[in-house]
Amino acid sequence: MRLLLTWLINAAALMALPYLMHSVSVSNVGTALIAALVLGLVNTLIRPVLVLLTLPVTLLSMGLFILVINAVLFWLVSHWVEGFEVAGFWSAFLAAILYSVISWALSTLLLNKDGNP
């Protein structure tokens, strides 16, 4: 149940992004659900490998390079999912940060400390 609610929270965060940034567009709720699912899979499967491969750069930048990795993955997902569009890298950079903040805020409001709704 928690996984489903987290997926819906992430889709809601994606639906909120176009209202905050004009360079991001999500065509409909179905697209947001698919994009949230693909983002979750990419963050689960590809992101750890990229973080490991770029560990020296991440350490030299004191962890800030992870924001670049997040932006690249966010931009990559926008190329894979039709109806979910991001204008460019810097738009993806800011959108990935806003997406994380919105998802965190919604999760904090809707989920208890033990992770149950």
Side-chain angles (χ1 to χ4, degrees):
M1 186 68 178
R2 184 178 189 276
L3 185 63
L4 179 64
L5 187 57
T6 302
W7 178 40
L8 293 174
I9 287 171
N10 289 338
L14 277 177
M15 289 298 295
L17 279 178
Y19 294 104
L20 300 172
M21 296 181 62
H22 297 292
S23 57
V24 176
S25 68
V26 181
S27 62
N28 56 35
V29 176
T31 300
L33 289 170
I34 292 169
L37 179 65
V38 173
L39 271 170
L41 290 173
V42 164
N43 284 331
T44 301
L45 301 173
I46 298 173
R47 186 174 181 268
V49 174
L50 288 177
V51 169
L52 187 63
L53 290 175
T54 61
L55 192 58
V57 176
T58 302
L59 290 174
L60 286 174
S61 68
M62 294 182 282
L64 292 176
F65 194 73
I66 290 178
L67 295 174
V68 174
I69 292 172
N70 289 342
V72 168
L73 293 176
F74 199 84
W75 195 24
L76 189 67
V77 169
S78 75
H79 289 297
W80 288 345
V81 178
E82 197 166 322
F84 174 52
E85 297 176 13
V86 178
F89 173 77
W90 291 109
S91 295
F93 188 85
L94 183 58
I97 293 171
L98 286 173
Y99 173 71
S100 297
V101 169
I102 294 168
S103 293
W104 169 79
L106 289 174
S107 295
T108 301
L109 290 172
L110 298 176
L111 296 175
N112 291 336
K113 289 182 183 181
D114 60 357
N116 293 324

